[in-house]
Amino acid sequence: MDSCRIPANASKCSRNTMECFMVLSTQAQKISIGILCGLFGTMCVFENSLVLYLIFSSSGIRKKPSYLFIGSLALADILASIIFVCSFVNFHVFNEAGFSKEVFLLQLGGVNTSFSASLSSLLLTALDRYLSISRPSEYKLLMTRKRAWTALGVLWLTCATIACLPLLGWNCCVLDSSCSELFPFVDDNYLSGWLCFVVVLLGCIIYAYAHVLWRAHQHVAYMEKHQAQAGKQNTRMRMDVMLAKTLVMVLAVLVLCWSPVLVLMIYSVFSRLSDHLRKVFAFCSTLCLLNSMVNPIIYALRSKELFSSLRRVFSHFRRQLKATEESPEAESTHKSSVIET
C-alpha cells in the first residue's frame, strides 16, 4: 500500500494506515454500530424497495414527474444503505483493512454518490413542488417527463463525478497534501469542496420548502376568510396545507440527521479532532442511514396515490394468502368425496 500522510494523533499506528481510522475500541461499541447499521439498513432497503415497486407497478403513477423524483430518492437510499452498511461494518466492526487504497476510495465514492444523489433527489422534489405551488397553471408545461428524466440524468452524473474525484487522483497520497482526520486518503481540500456542495444542496432545499410553506400559510389565511366558498380551489388549498405539514417533518428530520455529521466534518477541516469526537462521528454517521429509512415514510407513504396503491397490493396479497390456505382444504374435501363414492 502507498505511504500516506496521516493525522498526528494516529502516528502511533504501525501495521497499516487504515488502522488509524478504526476508532471503535470496545466490543460493546462495535456491537452497537453493527445493530444500528443492520436495523436501519434492512428497514431502509425494504421500505424503499416497496416504494419503487409501488411507483413502477402503476402506469398512472410512474408517468408523473413528481414520482420519478421520489423513485430516484428511493433508489439512491437503497444504494446508500447497501454500500454504506457493507463498507462501514466491514471496516469499523470487523476491522478489515486488507484492501487497497483504490478499493477503499471506490467504496467511499459509492457511498458519497448515493448520499449526494439522495439529497439531490430531495432538491428536485423540492423544486417540483415549488413549481407546482408557485406556477400551477404552467406546471405541466414546465415539468414534463422528458425534462424530469434529463434532470435525473444530470443529477446522477454530477454526483458520481464529484464522488469519484479522490479515486481519479484528488487524494492526499497522490498530491502529498493534508489528509482528513475522518476518512483515509481523503484530501482536506476535497472534503471542504464536498461539504460546500452538500451545504448548497441543503440551502436550496430549505429555500424551496420555505417558499412552499409560506404559500401554504397564505392559503390558510385565505380559507379562513372564505370558509363558505367551496370548489376545486379550496380543495387545492387543503392539499397545500397538508403538504406544508409534511414539509415541516421533512425539514426537521433532514436537519436532525445531517447536522451532527456536517458539523463534525466542518470542524475537522479547521481543527484537530480527539479520539472521542472521531468515535462520536462514527455513531453520528448512522443518522444519515436513519434519514434514508425515514424518507419513504414521509415522502411516499403520505402520498394518497401511493398509499392507495399500497392498500391494493396488501389486499391482493391477503386474497392470495387466503386462497393458498383454502386450497389444501378444498383438495382434501374433493379427495374424501371421491373415496366415499
Side-chain angles (χ1 to χ4, degrees):
M1 182 178 295
D2 298 339
S3 60
C4 185
R5 187 178 302 171
I6 56 178
N9 63 350
S11 60
K12 60 186 178 181
C13 300
S14 57
R15 189 176 71 87
N16 200 307
T17 301
M18 303 284 281
E19 286 188 354
C20 308
F21 296 87
M22 297 175 181
V23 295
L24 303 182
S25 55
T26 67
Q27 195 67 20
Q29 292 172 353
K30 294 179 181 181
I31 292 174
S32 299
I33 284 287
I35 292 175
L36 289 174
C37 288
L39 177 62
F40 292 164
T42 302
M43 291 298 298
C44 183
V45 171
F46 171 75
E47 292 172 1
N48 286 287
S49 297
L50 178 60
V51 168
L52 282 178
Y53 174 77
L54 293 177
I55 290 174
F56 290 100
S57 63
S58 172
S59 58
I61 293 178
R62 68 170 177 263
K63 290 180 180 179
K64 297 182 178 180
S66 301
Y67 290 105
L68 291 179
F69 299 145
I70 291 178
S72 173
L73 173 64
L75 176 62
D77 286 338
I78 289 173
L79 293 177
S81 62
I82 293 174
I83 301 173
F84 176 84
V85 169
C86 292
S87 58
F88 197 77
V89 170
N90 193 42
F91 186 80
H92 284 291
V93 176
F94 297 110
N95 297 139
E96 179 59 45
F99 42 81
S100 65
K101 176 190 69 179
E102 288 74 19
V103 171
F104 177 84
L105 291 178
L106 180 63
Q107 292 177 350
L108 185 63
V111 173
N112 285 347
T113 298
S114 304
F115 279 125
S116 298
S118 178
L119 285 178
S120 299
S121 298
L122 287 175
L123 175 60
L124 287 183
T125 305
L127 294 176
D128 174 73
R129 294 182 176 183
Y130 176 90
L131 288 175
S132 68
I133 195 171
S134 62
R135 305 174 72 175
S137 59
E138 305 172 42
Y139 171 74
K140 289 186 177 181
L141 294 175
L142 293 172
M143 188 57 69
T144 61
R145 292 185 75 246
K146 183 178 179 180
R147 289 180 178 177
W149 280 112
T150 301
L152 288 174
V154 172
L155 176 158
W156 280 89
L157 181 62
T158 301
C159 292
T161 301
I162 294 175
C164 289
L165 287 177
L167 182 63
L168 297 175
W170 191 353
N171 59 73
C172 56
C173 299
V174 172
L175 300 176
D176 193 27
S177 57
S178 176
C179 291
S180 167
E181 294 187 354
L182 295 174
F183 306 101
F185 316 121
V186 173
D187 179 74
D188 262 339
N189 292 327
Y190 169 79
L191 181 60
S192 300
W194 187 83
L195 285 171
C196 291
F197 172 65
V198 171
V199 170
V200 168
L201 284 179
L202 291 174
C204 292
I205 292 171
I206 292 173
Y207 174 80
Y209 283 171
H211 179 82
V212 175
L213 289 172
W214 172 246
R215 291 299 296 267
H217 172 74
Q218 290 179 324
H219 287 180
V220 170
Y222 181 89
M223 281 192 296
E224 289 176 352
K225 290 182 180 181
H226 303 81
Q227 289 181 355
Q229 192 176 12
K232 290 185 177 179
Q233 192 172 10
N234 273 359
T235 302
R236 175 62 182 272
M237 290 178 183
R238 292 190 188 95
M239 290 175 63
D240 290 334
V241 173
M242 186 175 181
L243 172 62
K245 294 179 181 179
T246 302
L247 297 183
V248 170
M249 296 173 60
V250 169
L251 291 177
V253 172
L254 192 65
V255 172
L256 178 65
C257 292
W258 278 89
S259 290
V261 170
L262 292 178
V263 168
L264 287 172
M265 283 186 185
I266 294 171
Y267 182 75
S268 72
V269 173
F270 298 101
S271 181
R272 190 169 298 280
L273 294 177
S274 65
D275 289 341
H276 175 71
L277 283 179
R278 294 167 71 200
K279 290 178 183 179
V280 170
F281 177 79
F283 278 92
C284 289
S285 298
T286 60
L287 291 177
C288 299
L289 197 60
L290 176 63
N291 184 219
S292 296
M293 185 186 78
V294 175
N295 278 338
I297 299 174
I298 298 177
Y299 267 94
L301 300 185
R302 283 178 63 89
S303 163
K304 287 186 177 180
E305 291 176 297
L306 283 182
F307 189 71
S308 298
S309 180
L310 179 63
R311 290 182 62 182
R312 287 196 298 271
V313 169
F314 281 155
S315 297
H316 179 68
F317 177 75
R318 282 199 300 266
R319 286 195 299 270
Q320 282 190 330
L321 187 63
K322 187 176 180 180
T324 303
E325 291 176 349
E326 291 177 351
S327 180
E329 296 177 4
E331 186 178 353
S332 176
T333 304
H334 175 71
K335 286 182 178 180
S336 62
S337 62
V338 170
I339 294 173
E340 290 175 0
T341 305

